[in-house]
């Protein structure tokens, strides 16, 4: 649920990093936190199991500067990817305006990616949101493992598994090294703000 | 669903929060939505990261509601955390919003509850109007 505050000239929206456990969602937020100035971002809040697996969510608030005359502020959240945390995942999903799906390129995680995406669609539907309508960007993470001895999926395979239906914009990434992290963020922010403004404009209120 | 807040809406919300603060002796109030976004704040948060506080509060509130549901309770009547210096009180505003009130030992939970209950009605009306206007999103 985005907020448009005419009083402060600010648009606020909520973006969720979704995806299978160990896929790299938290690593995305950590990289964003580490590479931004503290004038434009708040604290990185993590509710996790001793700095490791996400138990509830990570949270980072970020100012993206102005689009037209509006200050854009995004609230980034990660969900816990582990299957048995579905109840908390649903709580985090509340009021989502845009989603980044972080897929794990490791071949052994192939089924987990598919399951997580299906779980996302189900949880969104429960909230009355159509997964094909909400702004969505896919990120194929851990591409740095290409050429290592760990078997990874090809882009074509991931595309077929996850994006045949959505046809969403996608980025290859290495959240660990930072490749593709800001490209992903920029795209989802753009799509989300566009979606929010379109809905506002269509009501004849500018 | 997007919520558009005008100068006037923000003004009304702030006035309600201000009034509650001065009558209860609490020192800070936040109005947030259940998804964790800060809508308005009043009083003195001093060095507190109110944005992070909003996200955590909504999550805490959501988790507590779920616990209530699992226990077969509709919801818990009182949501309150007591610290050595700071206390936090939560009030539900309709189904979508939460008011967070911070207070210390210069006032009491009793008084804070009394005053927040009053302002909850006011805020609920304001938000019913805002939501009504924002319908169809
Ligand atoms: N090689 C490599 N490892 C990565 C990359 N991104 C994350 N990792 C590693 O994968 C592991 C899990 O990363 P997290 O970011 O914690 O994963 P998550 O998606 O938040 O997992 P949950 O919180 O359980 O849902 C960590 O050991 C990371 O260092 C990447 O791009 N390349
Ligand atoms: Mg995590």
């Amino acid at each position: 649920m985005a907020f448009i505050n005419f009083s402060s000239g600010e648009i606020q929206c909520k973006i969720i990093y979704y995806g299978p456990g160990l896929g790299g969602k938290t690593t995305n937020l950590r990289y964003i936190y580490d590479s931004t100035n503290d004038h434009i971002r708040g604290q990185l809040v993590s509710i996790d199991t001793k700095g490791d697996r996400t138990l509830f969510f990570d949270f980072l608030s970020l100012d993206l500067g102005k689009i037209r005359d509006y200050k854009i502020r995004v609230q980034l959240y990660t969900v816990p990817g582990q299957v048995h945390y579905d109840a908390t995942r649903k709580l985090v999903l509340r009021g989502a305006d845009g989603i980044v799906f972080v897929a794990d390129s490791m071949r052994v995680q192939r089924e987990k990616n598919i399951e997580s995406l299906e779980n996302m669609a189900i949880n969104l539907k429960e909230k009355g949101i159509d997964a094909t309508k909400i702004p969505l960007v896919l990120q194929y993470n851990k591409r740095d493992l290409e050429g290592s001895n760990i078997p990874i999926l090809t882009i074509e395979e991931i595309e077929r598994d996850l994006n045949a239906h959505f046809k969403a914009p996608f980025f290859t990434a290495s959240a660990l090294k930072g490749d593709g992290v800001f490209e992903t963020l920029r795209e989802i922010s753009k799509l989300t703000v566009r979606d929010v403004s379109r809905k506002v404009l269509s009501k004849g209120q500018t | 669903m997007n919520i558009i807040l005008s100068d006037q809406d923000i003004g009304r919300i702030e006035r309600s929060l201000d009034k509650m603060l001065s009558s209860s002796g609490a020192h800070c109030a936040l109005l947030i939505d259940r998804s964790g976004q800060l809508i308005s704040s009043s009083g003195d948060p001093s060095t507190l990261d109110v944005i992070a506080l909003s996200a955590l509060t909504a999550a805490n509130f959501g988790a507590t509601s779920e616990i209530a549901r699992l226990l077969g309770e509709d919801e818990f009547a009182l949501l309150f955390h007591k610290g050595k210096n700071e206390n936090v009180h939560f009030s539900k505003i309709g189904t979508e919003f939460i008011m967070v009130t911070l207070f210390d030992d210069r006032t009491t939970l009793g008084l804070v509850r009394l005053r927040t209950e009053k302002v909850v009605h006011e805020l609920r009306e304001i938000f019913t109007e805002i939501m009504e206007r924002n319908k169809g999103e």
Side-chain angles (χ1 to χ4, degrees), chain B residues 90-102:
Chain B
F90 308 100
S91 322
K92 207 170 133 185
I93 316 278
T95 56
E96 292 299 323
F97 304 94
I98 308 163
M99 180 173 67
V100 186
T101 310
L102 302 179

Side-chain angles (χ1 to χ4, degrees), chain A residues 146-203:
Chain A
E146 227 161 4
S148 74
N149 53 10
I150 297 169
I152 67 164
L153 296 158
T154 66
I155 301 299
E156 293 70 35
E157 283 170 324
I158 308 185
E159 275 284 283
R160 215 178 313 124
D161 283 353
L162 307 177
N163 205 14
H165 180 54
F166 291 108
K167 301 196 168 52
F170 70 90
F171 294 88
T172 56
S174 166
L176 202 57
K177 298 188 168 154
D179 303 336
V181 170
F182 279 97
E183 287 79 353
T184 307
L185 175 64
R186 216 169 288 132
E187 182 68 14
I188 192 59
S189 305
K190 193 183 80 188
L191 294 181
T192 305
V193 170
R194 186 188 290 166
D195 187 59
V196 168
S197 1
R198 189 179 49 77
K199 283 176 186 156
V200 175
L201 289 170
S202 71
K203 295 184 67 203

Side-chain angles (χ1 to χ4, degrees), chain B residues 45-86:
Chain B
S46 65
T47 57
L48 207 64
D49 183 339
V50 286
I51 296 195
L53 183 68
S54 304
L56 286 165
T57 300
N60 180 18
F61 203 91
T64 310
S65 305
E66 258 327 89
I67 293 169
R69 205 181 54 83
L70 289 176
L71 295 177
E73 292 286 333
D74 211 20
E75 63 194 41
F76 295 121
L78 176 63
L79 278 178
F80 167 64
H81 297 310
K82 182 163 176 38
K84 242 193 219 133
N85 303 307
E86 281 284 343

Side-chain angles (χ1 to χ4, degrees), chain B:
Chain B
M1 165 110 183
N2 300 309
I3 303 225
I4 300 162
L5 299 165
S6 66
D7 277 341
Q8 216 187 355
D9 297 328
I10 296 287
R12 284 173 77 189
I13 296 166
E14 279 174 359
R15 274 195 300 279
S16 291
L17 296 179
D18 286 345
K19 205 167 57 187
M20 185 277 290
L21 286 184
S22 60
S23 68
S24 69
H27 60 81
C28 181
L30 308 179
L31 199 95
I32 67 179
D33 90 316
R34 295 278 302 260
S35 76
Q37 312 212 57
L38 178 65
I39 300 164
S40 176
S41 69
S42 169
D44 175 25
S46 65
T47 57
L48 207 64
D49 183 339
V50 286
I51 296 195
L53 183 68
S54 304
L56 286 165
T57 300
N60 180 18
F61 203 91
T64 310
S65 305
E66 258 327 89
I67 293 169
R69 205 181 54 83
L70 289 176
L71 295 177
E73 292 286 333
D74 211 20
E75 63 194 41
F76 295 121
L78 176 63
L79 278 178
F80 167 64
H81 297 310
K82 182 163 176 38
K84 242 193 219 133
N85 303 307
E86 281 284 343
N87 310 300
V88 198
H89 179 271
F90 308 100
S91 322
K92 207 170 133 185
I93 316 278
T95 56
E96 292 299 323
F97 304 94
I98 308 163
M99 180 173 67
V100 186
T101 310
L102 302 179
F103 64 99
D104 54 27
D105 57 11
R106 283 173 293 179
T107 182
T108 62
L109 174 62
L111 186 61
V112 168
R113 283 191 77 186
L114 193 71
R115 299 304 185 195
T116 48
E117 254 167 53
K118 256 182 92 177
V119 81
V120 162
H121 291 290
E122 229 172 87
L123 288 169
R124 198 186 298 147
E125 273 172 29
I126 296 174
F127 276 104
T128 310
E129 277 176 40
I130 295 173
M131 299 295 271
E132 211 43 52
R133 222 178 44 217
N134 281 273
K135 253 196 185 142
E137 295 265 311

